[in-house]
Every structure is written in structure tokens, then in C-alpha cells.
Amino acid sequence: MLTPVLQDVRVVDLSSGIAGAYLSRLFVDAGADVVRVESETGAALRRRSAVPLAEGANGALFTFLAAGTRSVVGALSDGAIEELLASTDLIVVDDALTPADVDGIHQRHRFGVITSIRPYGLEGPWAEKRLNEFLLQADSGSILCRGHASMPPYMAGGDVFEWMAACYAAPPSLAAIDRSRRCGQGEVVDVSIAESTALAASTFADLSQQMSGRTDLAARSLETPSIERAEDGWVGFNTNTRQQFQSFCLMIERPDLMDSEWADLRTRTARLDEWSAIVNEWMAQHSVAEIVELASELRVPVARVNDGAGVLSEEHLVARGFFADTAEGFRAPRSPRMIDGERPPIPGPAPAIGEHSGRIESRPRLESVATTENASGDPTARPLTGIRVVDLTSWWAGPCATQAMAALGADVIHVESVTHPDGMRLTGMMFGKERWWEWGHMFLAANHDKRGLTLDLNDPQGRELLLSLVEGADVVVENFSPRVIEAFDLDWNVLRERNPRLVMVRMPAFGLDGPWRERVGFAQTMEQMSGMAALTGHETDQPRIPRGPCDPIAGMHGCFAALLGIRKRDSTGGGVFIESAMVEGAINCAAEMIVEYSANGATLSRLGNRSRFAAPQGIYETVESEQWLAISCDSDEAWRSLAEVIGADAEEFATLEDRQAAHDEIDQLVARWAENRDLTQAEEELVGAGVGAIACRNHAVLRFHPQFEARGFYELVEHCEVGIHYMPGQPYRMRGIERWITNATPTLGQHNHEILTELGLSAAEIASLEQSGRIGTIPVL
């Protein structure tokens, strides 16, 4: 049986929302003891449900997130809670506490780690703002980047950025715990949901804008082909590359389109109706199953667009045993991580309110542990200083995992070849630039603080050099389809022979076994398959992909798994093999629709910009075109304030149920009020009245956000090819780290001489490799 990696770690969860609860769930799955501190009435998350709950019953989402935890009733002022905090490795908080509360906890319990997940973080002029996830999406560039100009833009459904913020919080939290054990000093990990959203939803449009020199703001856009209607349902595609688009044309029996004007996404978007008619003519004659099979044979990323029931019935996931019955009797996703071939055990039941009050075992205070163990180490050093990572990843999911390790101090060596450079280099490229392969803005944003090496792994000498590199590494990470790394004869058994203490993390799209093992998949595919797309888009339109979150979700799950692997390696002395499938991380972050269906038979679906928990909620265009105002009334009081401003009768729609039933009518009232007003003035008027409202911010100018500027989220970076630009760092702060980006993204093969010299090669040997084309700095495509 799998030994819990974090069996010696205690977590106290003081949070109230999804983000804190999912962070705790990640620690539970790794074996930590998690204690929830609640009021006598329990956390509000207990009552979140798609169906009416019996008195005292828990909603399915809480039951899933709180599985295996314990509950005590108390508050910060209680002596018993203070004593509990003094012996706790990690304290999880959110905006249920104030920044002053968090600072007080840190002052009293300096040997533990506090991870705070708040809308805008703990510091800065907006630190006290408590906006819900919808308004954060509007403010962080998420909403205004989506959709066709014929309809209003729309949010990503399913509160996905709360889940994602927890994913971002997990690696620094664990790294800080282990550093505190070494040096005897704790840490505050200050996570901003707004910054997480800006990272994941903007596709780095801000950096692209700077690099291009454009002054016009980035417009909304849609991917096409993307989600299309088949004979019997919706099916989703992804054509990131020209080859994938050409294969799609072959699939729909239109090879004449492969090199036509339709090969340009801008043409397909501008003439969307014409393009859709071409695609729909073929789609309507084929079933989803038939299309998925045909596309897979042509190596086009594809998936059925699932709701909760569909995800549970996916043959690949069923074959992998990914779903299991909870202690309460409904089916739910299991951990997306396997260590040495085993998944973590299914956690026990969610606790009743205060079930464990007075029954939590005492532990030594962390202060006494640090003193008795004569803790040593530099508390100012980044937590992963001294760790070396060989990075065999490409695109975004894998690279953002290794980038997070680099930010935390690891020496990360990104390996490419001149014949197969990282695919992300070839996207967003600036045509006409002399060294165009260095101008991929997403590659630049996902790979700073690494060193760059080119090796031809098809060549025996190149492969042997990689194995020499592995001998001195702590971690190897790769995210190709399984056949690729195995074709190089570089799988786990081979690498372990060269380095018995190695941690290897494989991050394939669909996992290392099951019927979809060899299929390719990207973030879009995961959004379609996991159910995220079913929750995104207007009710009157089709499902749409959220665009963005699944890459960092996969990356942070993979990074957290790697840190668990390092911890296990250090404990046992032996190597560790980890599998972290991209689709399984995505499904965990879409768990609500799955558990609601399994537990209650409820099918959650897309609501456009509306919510089950707030009404009215939506975006409303102001006097200038494409100037949208986001409004969310998540309380009766907020509605009364809005009604007074717009001149509506508050009592006519007094309850949430009344307002949801009359949402169309209320939308018309709000729209008429907004359409003749300046965006800034309208926002100020509503906020001044106590209404949740904020302007939808363009994703190309996020560097000017006053809170982001105050927190230094965008950092000025000089790159030898593309010049000086502002780039986003990590979406969290840690005490003593002024900036995350210390080195620009490497150019292709930039550190060949440096790294190969470290491996013992002479200058003549390196020159010979260059002359033979085995290494280089210019792609050969």
C-alpha cells in the first residue's frame, strides 16, 4: 500500500471557500492530517447545493472537498484554537479573515506556514476588496477576451479560477513547509486569485501587445474549429498547429481547404458563418463516436463535450478506475496523481460540524521542534535552492510546472532539439523577424529562469548526453504522449538505472494506460472532455471552451506531485516515479458538476454570465462600444442598492428566487441604465452605493492594473532578442522575495556550452557537436 507522503504534516483550514478547501483536499490526498475550524453553524460551503438540502445535510461539493478532514468548532480568540495553530505546519486562510488577522497569526506562530488565498492578496491598495469570482474574472481580463462580437462576452463557468488558485497555492505551500523544517522559520504564501486569473485566462496578450508595438487593444476572439455539433451531440477539436488543421480538413473530406485562405484563423473568424456552414455540412452526417475515432486516427486532438453524466461514463476514465464511491455513496474523481503506480487511497467521510472538538491529538509546538532539532539552513533562500530539474516538456502545461520549480529556486534545464524545438516557440511568432523562433510570446512567458540546451535524442550521442545530465539531476519532467519518450528509450526503467535517486514526473494528456493512452490532447481538449466547456457560454449559444486554465491546472498538479516525490525520495533514499495525467487534474477542478450529478441527479449547465447564487449578475455595455460593466448582486442588500441606483422597485424582486425568475426583465432595466453612461462613472456610482460592480478589463493592458502594479506582479525583463518588456511573475508573494523573474527565457540552445562543460565535455568536443548539427541555436524545420 502507498505510504502517505505527508503523514507527518498537519494542516488547519480556517478558510470558507472553494480555493482553500481544494488546497486542503490536495494535502489530504497526500496523507496530511487536515483539521477544519468552523463556527457552530458550520462553513457556508456545507450548504452549497444544486438541489434543496435537508436540515443539517451537507452539499455534495463540500462532501467531496472535505473528505478525510476533521472538524472542530472555535475561533481565533479561543485558547484551544491558538494551541492547535502553534503545532500546525500549514494554516490555510482566505478572505474570511482580514489581512490584519493573518498578520497577527504570523506574529504569534512564526514557525508555521500560512497560505492565504484572497481575491487580491494580502497587500496593496485593493487588498480589502472582496469581489466574487465572476467580478474577478471581469477585472482580470478573463471575460473580455472571449466570444464573437455578435454576442456579449462571457465568463468561464464553474468557478474554475477559484480551483486554479488552489492549484497555484499548493507547490509554494509544500516547499515552504519543508524549508521551515530545515531552517526553523515559517512563511506567508500570499496568493492572489486575480493574478492567477490574469495568468491563466489572458494567454499573455499583454506581453504580445508590448512585443508587437500595437496601440489598439486586443479584440475578443473564438477558436474555430473548436466545439461543433455532430449528429447526436457536441464534439470538440483543437487545431493549434497547421498540421492539425490540415488533418481536420482531411477528416471533413475537404482537402482543398488545407492550403486555402481558410487555413488562416483570421479568415475563419472574420467569415465565421461561411466557415461554420462548411464544417456543419459534414458534422451533421456523423455521430460523436465516429468523429472522435476519425479525428484520433488523424492525430487531431478531439473529445466528446461532456456534462457531469458524460464525464462519469467516459470509457478511458472508467478503464483507468479514476472514479470511486465516496464514503457517502456517490461517485467522485480520485486524485490525479499516481506515485510508483498507486493512487492515494479514497479519503474517509466529510466530518459533521465540530465532530472532533476536544479530540485532536496534541503535537509538539513547532517552536520547540525547531529548537530541539537545531534547525539550520538559510531562511531567505528560495525553498528549492539546490534542486536540479531536467525539463523535457513543451507547450504550456509542462513548462509552467517546471517554471514554478525554477521560481522556487531550482536549477531547471529546458531540453529541446534544433529539429524539434518546443512547439510553443512556433506560436504567436513575429513574421519578418530575423530570429522569429525567439519571438513566441507564450514561450517567453512560460520559460523564464531556466537554462536552455539542445540535444538530438534520436542520436546515440545526444541520448547519452541526456543520460549524463540525468545522473546529476533530482527531477526529470516530461509531458509528451507516452510513445515519444519510450521511442527515445528514456522511460522510467532506463533513467532509474542511471540515477537510483531520481524523481521522474510524466504528465501525459490522458495517462500511461487506458484506451486513450496514445491520443494527443491540449488544454482545449481537457476543457471539452472534463465538463468545463459545458458550463461556459451563453444559454442561447453553444458550449464554449474557457480557454486557458487547464494548462496551469495540469502544470501545478504536476509541480506539486514533483515536490511530493522529492519529499518521498529524501525520506526513503530511493527513486520515485510519478504519473500526473492532464485530464485528471482538469476533472478534479470541474468536480462540482460531477458530484452534483452523481449525488443528486442534477445536471449543471452553462448560464452565460449568470449564477445560481447571485441575481442579477451579468455584463452590460455602456455608452462606448465594447465597454462592458460587470455587476453581481449576491445578497438582498446589494440588490436593494442596485435597484435604488437604477430606479427599480426593489420589493418587486425581493428574494434571490424572485430575481432569478425575472432575470431577463431585470437585465433590460440594468441595460437601459448602463447604455447611456460612461463606463468609469457607472462603475463608481454602483460601487459607491455598495453594489458589486467592476469594469471588464482588457486582457492586453493588465500590466496597468493598480493592484498588480502595487504588488509587482508584472516584472520588467530584458531579453537579448526581443528587448525589454513587462512579464507576469508568479501569482503569489513570499516574504523576502522581491521579484520572481531573475533571468530571461533562454534562447534556443543558449546554455549549450555552459551545461555541456559542466558534463565534462571539452571545447573541441562541443564544437564537433555543433558542426555535426547535434546541437545548435537555429531550428532546422
Side-chain angles (χ1 to χ4, degrees):
M1 179 179 287
L2 184 68
T3 301
V5 179
L6 301 183
Q7 61 183 343
D8 63 333
V9 170
R10 174 171 287 174
V11 178
V12 170
D13 189 343
L14 300 172
S15 70
S16 61
I18 290 173
Y22 188 53
L23 176 60
S24 291
R25 172 65 194 248
L26 290 171
F27 274 78
V28 165
D29 282 341
D33 171 29
V34 176
V35 181
R36 303 182 58 83
V37 177
E38 303 183 77
S39 69
E40 291 184 355
T41 57
L45 196 60
R46 287 180 179 270
R47 295 178 288 280
R48 175 165 169 149
S49 177
V51 300
L53 292 175
E55 184 69 27
N58 294 323
L61 178 62
F62 177 85
T63 301
F64 169 73
L65 288 172
T69 66
R70 300 192 284 177
S71 171
V72 298
V73 168
L76 284 180
S77 57
D78 298 345
I81 300 303
E82 284 294 303
E83 191 62 31
L84 178 63
L85 297 181
S87 64
T88 294
D89 298 283
L90 176 65
I91 304 167
V92 179
V93 302
D94 61 11
D95 61 347
L97 300 180
T98 68
D101 291 331
V102 178
D103 188 61
I105 295 172
H106 181 57
Q107 293 300 322
R108 297 192 302 275
H109 307 290
R110 301 186 68 88
F111 292 89
V113 174
I114 303 171
T115 294
S116 167
I117 309 177
R118 294 175 60 85
Y120 290 102
L122 287 167
E123 300 175 343
W126 289 32
E128 297 284 2
K129 283 184 178 284
R130 298 181 64 184
L131 301 189
N132 63 27
E133 203 250 15
F134 166 71
L135 295 174
L136 288 175
Q137 285 197 42
D139 189 42
S140 304
S142 171
I143 291 178
L144 206 54
C145 67
R146 287 192 202 90
H148 192 267
S150 62
M151 288 185 170
Y154 49 85
M155 68 176 179
D159 296 307
V160 64
F161 295 108
E162 282 205 57
W163 295 84
M164 195 188 63
C167 297
Y168 271 118
S173 298
L174 180 54
I177 289 170
D178 287 339
R179 185 183 64 179
S180 71
R181 295 270 179 102
R182 296 192 300 270
C183 73
Q185 290 193 29
E187 179 62 84
V188 176
V189 181
D190 174 12
V191 182
S192 162
I193 302 175
E195 292 172 7
S196 300
T197 307
L199 265 179
S202 70
T203 57
F204 303 108
D206 194 302
L207 179 58
S208 176
Q209 183 99 355
Q210 296 174 70
M211 292 171 61
S212 69
R214 296 193 312 265
T215 57
D216 58 308
L217 294 181
R220 291 192 272 143
S221 62
L222 288 174
E223 299 76 9
T224 180
S226 181
I227 295 176
E228 313 293 344
R229 185 183 287 279
E231 183 180 51
D232 58 346
W234 296 102
V235 61
F237 304 94
N238 171 51
T239 54
N240 277 349
T241 68
R242 187 175 184 85
Q243 181 180 353
Q244 289 166 352
F245 174 76
Q246 291 177 335
S247 296
F248 179 86
C249 293
L250 289 176
M251 185 192 72
I252 64 172
E253 301 173 55
R254 292 296 304 272
D256 56 303
L257 305 179
M258 292 169 58
D259 296 307
S260 71
E261 60 184 338
W262 295 111
D264 190 331
L265 177 59
R266 291 169 295 185
T267 300
R268 302 196 298 273
T269 303
R271 297 161 59 185
L272 185 61
D273 289 344
E274 292 177 65
W275 168 252
S276 296
I278 293 170
V279 174
N280 291 342
E281 181 181 1
W282 185 87
M283 290 284 166
Q285 303 174 49
H286 300 273
S287 69
V288 170
E290 181 183 3
I291 293 169
V292 168
E293 191 63 34
L294 285 170
S296 297
E297 290 174 0
L298 291 167
R299 307 289 292 173
V300 178
V302 64
R304 182 175 69 184
V305 178
N306 286 312
D307 57 13
V311 179
L312 284 166
S313 65
E314 275 287 358
E315 62 165 354
H316 176 75
L317 301 170
V318 172
R320 282 176 57 82
F322 178 55
F323 299 108
D325 290 333
T326 65
E328 290 79 6
F330 61 85
R331 295 190 74 70
R334 298 181 65 183
S335 169
R337 176 184 65 254
M338 298 179 72
I339 297 181
D340 292 330
E342 293 186 69
R343 287 194 195 274
I346 300 164
I353 300 170
E355 179 180 346
H356 303 93
S357 293
R359 297 168 50 196
I360 304 298
E361 304 85 357
S362 62
R363 300 173 81 211
R365 295 174 63 91
L366 293 188
E367 182 176 2
S368 64
V369 172
T371 301
T372 57
E373 291 184 358
N374 296 315
S376 61
D378 182 0
T380 66
R382 300 196 182 203
L384 297 186
T385 298
I387 296 294
R388 172 168 285 187
V389 179
V390 176
D391 177 3
L392 302 179
T393 68
S394 64
W395 296 96
W396 189 12
C400 75
T402 52
Q403 182 186 57
M405 287 186 259
L408 291 169
D411 173 21
V412 177
I413 300 172
H414 186 56
V415 181
E416 308 171 74
S417 75
V418 293
T419 56
H420 290 90
D422 188 324
M424 196 61 90
R425 285 188 179 274
L426 312 183
T427 63
M429 50 193 172
M430 303 292 183
F431 292 101
K433 298 292 184 183
E434 182 178 354
R435 294 175 65 84
W436 53 264
W437 59 91
E438 305 296 356
W439 285 75
H441 72 282
M442 290 195 68
F443 180 83
L444 289 170
N447 289 284
H448 51 70
D449 290 297
K450 302 178 183 180
R451 296 195 286 168
L453 173 67
T454 53
L455 291 174
D456 182 358
L457 300 184
N458 285 308
D459 175 77
Q461 189 175 8
R463 179 178 176 276
E464 182 57 33
L465 286 171
L466 180 77
L467 289 171
S468 297
L469 193 62
V470 167
E471 288 178 357
D474 297 280
V475 182
V476 171
V477 185
E478 67 88 17
N479 71 326
F480 299 109
S481 59
R483 63 185 180 85
V484 174
I485 208 74
E486 290 156 15
F488 291 137
D489 193 21
L490 291 170
D491 61 10
W492 171 235
N493 290 330
V494 173
L495 300 189
R496 180 174 53 182
E497 284 187 11
R498 297 295 287 262
N499 183 349
R501 286 177 50 82
L502 183 71
V503 175
M504 184 179 192
V505 182
R506 300 190 66 178
M507 298 174 56
F510 298 106
L512 296 175
D513 60 17
W516 282 41
R517 179 184 192 269
E518 297 298 344
R519 294 188 181 182
V520 292
F522 290 80
Q524 297 94 322
T525 321
M526 308 306 140
E527 291 164 5
Q528 294 154 1
M529 187 175 183
S530 67
M532 290 183 187
L535 296 177
T536 301
H538 295 292
E539 291 179 272
T540 55
D541 191 27
Q542 66 180 71
R544 299 287 185 183
I545 60 171
R547 188 199 294 152
C550 281
D551 276 310
I553 282 172
M556 294 310 106
H557 277 107
C559 181
F560 184 63
L563 301 191
L564 290 172
I566 293 170
R567 203 175 205 273
K568 181 178 180 182
R569 184 275 309 268
D570 290 347
S571 172
T572 65
V576 181
F577 177 62
I578 295 172
E579 177 185 344
S580 183
M582 187 178 189
V583 70
E584 294 176 359
I587 291 171
N588 266 270
C589 291
E592 183 171 20
M593 68 184 308
I594 298 165
V595 298
E596 284 287 4
Y597 175 79
S598 179
N600 302 313
T603 299
L604 303 184
S605 59
R606 59 190 183 278
L607 298 172
N609 291 309
R610 295 180 179 178
S611 169
R612 293 184 286 139
F613 310 109
Q617 177 172 291
I619 64 166
Y620 306 90
E621 195 166 25
T622 53
V623 67
E624 293 186 42
S625 176
E626 286 297 284
Q627 298 287 297
W628 298 88
L629 178 66
I631 299 174
S632 179
C633 292
D634 51 12
S635 69
D636 294 342
E637 182 181 3
W639 159 245
R640 288 192 291 270
S641 298
L642 175 63
E644 182 174 353
V645 172
I646 68 174
D649 182 359
E651 296 308 314
E652 185 177 0
F653 312 113
T655 69
L656 175 63
E657 292 75 17
D658 292 338
R659 296 192 293 276
Q660 287 177 328
H663 214 305
D664 289 345
E665 181 180 347
I666 296 173
D667 276 348
Q668 291 175 11
L669 295 174
V670 180
R672 283 198 296 269
W673 175 85
E675 63 186 3
N676 295 315
R677 281 172 167 76
D678 172 80
L679 176 61
T680 301
Q681 291 175 344
E683 177 187 355
E684 290 176 351
E685 186 173 357
L686 291 179
V687 172
V691 179
I694 201 156
C696 290
R697 195 177 298 269
N698 190 286
H699 49 300
V701 290
L702 295 177
R703 65 192 181 280
F704 299 121
H705 192 300
Q707 178 70 357
F708 295 173
E709 285 189 296
R711 283 171 60 87
F713 176 50
Y714 279 83
E715 302 178 12
L716 202 59
V717 181
E718 182 173 5
H719 187 276
C720 60
E721 291 292 336
V722 307
I724 301 175
H725 301 99
Y726 282 97
M727 299 174 62
Q730 297 300 310
Y732 47 82
R733 309 299 299 169
M734 294 173 72
R735 306 290 168 101
I737 298 178
E738 292 299 319
R739 57 180 287 137
W740 289 110
I741 306 175
T742 56
N743 292 292
T745 296
T747 58
L748 186 66
Q750 178 178 340
H751 299 97
N752 285 345
H753 283 251
E754 178 182 304
I755 296 168
L756 294 176
T757 299
E758 291 173 4
L759 290 179
L761 273 69
S762 67
E765 289 172 320
I766 295 171
S768 176
L769 289 171
E770 289 176 326
Q771 292 168 5
S772 67
R774 290 180 172 87
I775 65 172
T777 58
I778 299 174
V780 181
L781 302 176

